[in-house]
């Protein structure tokens, strides 16, 4: 019954910024990690950023220095601030809550991010 609702996607020009959010409809017991994945047409889904319950963060090399993941425990929300966007950042972005990123978990519905050249 718990749902993850994403928002914030859209179309921007290269060099622009977008901020994504993912809010859980209720507190999920046992969640130790939250993350953002993206999938471009014809490409493998990849983990771009994650954050643990202790606020440890990881980023894919392709987004390091440009993206920032954060969370608000009080509102059960995880965010992804994306700056200096590039056309190769285009794809559907999915949030995930789980015990770990490697295991099973809850997924958002996905939000489209399109970066024009």
């Amino acid at each position: 019954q718990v749902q993850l609702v994403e928002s914030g996607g859209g179309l921007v020009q290269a060099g622009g910024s977008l901020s994504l959010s993912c809010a859980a409809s209720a507190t999920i017991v046992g969640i130790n990690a939250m993350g953002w994945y993206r999938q471009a047409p014809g490409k493998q889904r990849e983990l771009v950023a994650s954050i643990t319950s202790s606020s440890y963060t990881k980023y894919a090399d392709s987004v390091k220095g440009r993206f920032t993941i954060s969370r608000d425990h009080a509102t059960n929300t995880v965010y992804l601030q994306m700056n200096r966007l590039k056309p190769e950042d285009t794809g559907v972005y999915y949030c995930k809550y789980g015990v770990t990123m490697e295991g099973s978990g809850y997924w958002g519905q996905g939000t489209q991010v399109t970066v024009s050249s």
Side-chain angles (χ1 to χ4, degrees), residues 60-117:
D61 288 342
S62 60
V63 307
K64 193 172 295 183
R66 300 187 298 118
F67 291 11
T68 302
I69 188 170
S70 61
R71 62 182 175 90
D72 185 343
H73 186 264
T75 59
N76 302 312
T77 304
V78 63
Y79 302 92
L80 186 67
Q81 177 65 45
M82 305 183 293
N83 298 323
R84 297 164 55 203
L85 283 161
K86 304 175 180 179
E88 50 263 45
D89 294 320
T90 293
V92 179
Y93 284 68
Y94 300 87
C95 62
K96 180 185 179 182
Y97 290 20
V99 178
T100 65
M101 287 294 95
E102 293 77 14
S104 62
Y106 297 85
W107 290 88
Q109 82 279 7
T111 186
Q112 177 70 44
V113 172
T114 303
V115 184
S116 62
S117 60

